[in-house]
Amino acid sequence: LQRGEVMLSDNLLSSETAAAEMQAVAAQNSRCKDPVMHVVLSWQEGEKPSAEQWQGAVKHALSSLNDRDGRGISDHQYMAVAHADTDHFHVHIMVNRVHPETYKANAPEWLHKSLDKACREIEAVQGWAESNGLYKWDKQQGKAVPTDQKEREQRKEALQQEQLDKGMAGTGKAAKMERYGNAESLETYCKGEPSKDLTKTMQRDGVTWEDVHSTLAK
């Protein structure tokens, strides 16, 4: 909570009591063993959304999530915290999957596809650079449309090559996992922000092992 601005759903009283309020509601559904849904919205490097923009993005992302019965999750309890202290501005959203009135658990269907489509819509409306994903923005139709598999593969290969050229991409098995799993490897992650932060720390005068451990812990 100390790292950035906080946004609360209208059915929560305060950031100090949010956890207890969510737990009280979740306890009303004993069959739901994993009531917390965690979503992260991340902007590209250099993009700095205003409070109005990132809060609008949170609302739009949540409004795009529905379960197989068509029930939405935007009227559930949620807390969003924005972090602007890294290379990529990002927002953590913690949502209670148990409804605050009906106590029914919501399991959004096609979560990754729905969020990816919502991200293309947010990028188009707010004017951000388009990210590679399951959907792309069609300017003629004015909407997000599915990206075919061949185009996704070409984009991933181009990105992989760009990262390799910069010495930031994973190698060996890590590279294979990134290519076929469409996910960032631990190796690539370590070569990113942790590497930059550690380099800055090591360049300070009088740096100690305690400084190094503190940087890596962060």
Side-chain angles (χ1 to χ4, degrees), residues 17-31:
T17 60
E21 292 180 69
M22 287 183 171
Q23 289 171 350
V25 169
Q28 302 304 312
N29 187 328
S30 58
R31 292 186 298 175

Side-chain angles (χ1 to χ4, degrees), residues 25-26 29 31-38 62-77 95-100 102-111 114:
V25 169
N29 187 328
R31 292 186 298 175
C32 183
K33 304 302 181 183
D34 55 342
V36 180
M37 183 177 75
H38 177 210
L62 293 180
S63 69
S64 70
L65 303 181
N66 298 288
D67 64 10
R68 63 179 58 187
D69 296 322
R71 294 179 301 172
I73 204 165
S74 56
D75 58 345
H76 285 225
Q77 297 167 312
V95 188
N96 187 356
R97 294 201 303 109
V98 178
H99 194 277
T102 66
Y103 303 132
K104 292 182 178 180
N106 187 309
E109 195 172 30
W110 305 111
L111 179 63
S114 299

Side-chain angles (χ1 to χ4, degrees), residues 11 18 20-21 28 55 64 77 91 100 107 132 138 165 182 201:
N11 45 24
E21 292 180 69
Q28 302 304 312
Q55 290 177 14
S64 70
Q77 297 167 312
V91 180
N132 181 30
D138 189 310
D165 293 340
N182 194 28
T201 299

